[in-house]
Amino acid sequence: MYLIGGCGALWVWFLRRKLPESPRWLEARGRYEEAEKIMQDIEAEASKAGPLPPVISVAAPAPAWVPISILFSRGVVTRTLLAMAVCITCLVGSYSFSYWVPTFFVKQGLSVTKSLSFATVMALGSSLGPLVGMLTSDWIGRRRGTMFAALWCGVFALAYSQQTDPAWVLIFGFLLQGGMSLMIGFTMRC
């Protein structure tokens, strides 16, 4: 299971060599020539499909520095504490479930190999959540998305807990993992 994740990380590390740095990041660091070169490369590639639209220049105000203590000021502290509680709950629930499931399967009589196989298939559901979030987040927004993900988790957790057939355990476990990763994505989205 860790080998699969490690291979994926090595693949990303390999691919990132060709990934250009963000022009915004370079510009913020005073590396204007590098940022301009990357922008010219992007424009050259984009213009292959046809002429680019005219550039509209809008002066953006400089971002103001805000101290972290603002999160605990009178008007914001309740939101900060709520966000902390939701994030902690989501992460503890997701990781606890992921690490507990193989032990549960072994106690139910499955072999260690079969238990880890089930857990791996269910863990693949973690890719489903970000995919659904990517396709729906701009359309439904973070607030409704969080509620949708919570409902998804509740429905599939209940369905998962009632299953005895291994095929349905895998299906509902996969969907539950997807819902948990969707919930984490919506709650962590800035």
Side-chain angles (χ1 to χ4, degrees):
M1 192 163 57
Y2 292 109
L3 181 63
I4 293 169
C7 288
L10 286 175
W11 180 247
V12 169
W13 179 79
F14 176 76
L15 291 177
R16 68 112 180 103
R17 294 177 309 119
K18 300 224 181 225
L19 185 67
E21 188 57 74
S22 164
R24 280 187 177 176
W25 185 85
L26 290 170
E27 189 177 35
R29 304 295 182 282
R31 295 163 58 181
Y32 301 111
E33 287 139 15
E34 291 176 73
E36 183 60 32
K37 170 76 172 90
I38 291 172
M39 286 304 298
Q40 288 174 359
D41 292 346
I42 292 170
E43 289 171 358
E45 188 169 331
S47 65
K48 290 178 184 176
L52 297 175
V55 176
I56 300 172
S57 188
V58 177
W65 182 79
V66 179
I68 197 163
S69 61
I70 196 77
L71 293 173
F72 300 96
S73 65
R74 183 180 174 125
V76 183
V77 71
T78 55
R79 292 180 184 178
T80 301
L81 293 175
L82 176 62
M84 289 169 62
V86 168
C87 288
I88 289 169
T89 302
C90 287
L91 290 172
V92 167
S94 177
Y95 287 112
S96 297
F97 181 77
S98 298
Y99 289 116
W100 166 74
V101 158
T103 306
F104 174 75
F105 286 150
V106 168
K107 290 191 182 218
Q108 294 298 314
L110 292 172
S111 67
V112 173
T113 306
K114 191 155 188 144
S115 170
L116 289 175
S117 299
F118 269 48
T120 301
V121 169
M122 289 169 43
L124 293 174
S126 295
S127 301
L128 178 66
L131 178 65
V132 171
M134 177 185 74
L135 297 172
T136 63
S137 64
D138 290 335
W139 176 56
I140 63 176
R142 187 175 61 191
R143 185 176 295 177
R144 280 192 272 161
T146 302
M147 296 308 295
F148 170 72
L151 180 63
W152 175 333
C153 287
V155 167
F156 289 116
L158 180 62
Y160 175 79
S161 70
Q162 304 300 314
Q163 300 311 308
T164 56
D165 180 14
W168 287 109
V169 167
L170 277 177
I171 291 168
F172 285 121
F174 179 88
L175 292 170
L176 177 57
Q177 284 280 62
M180 287 189 288
S181 64
L182 178 63
M183 182 76 161
I184 290 168
F186 274 121
T187 56
M188 301 287 189
R189 186 176 152 209
C190 296

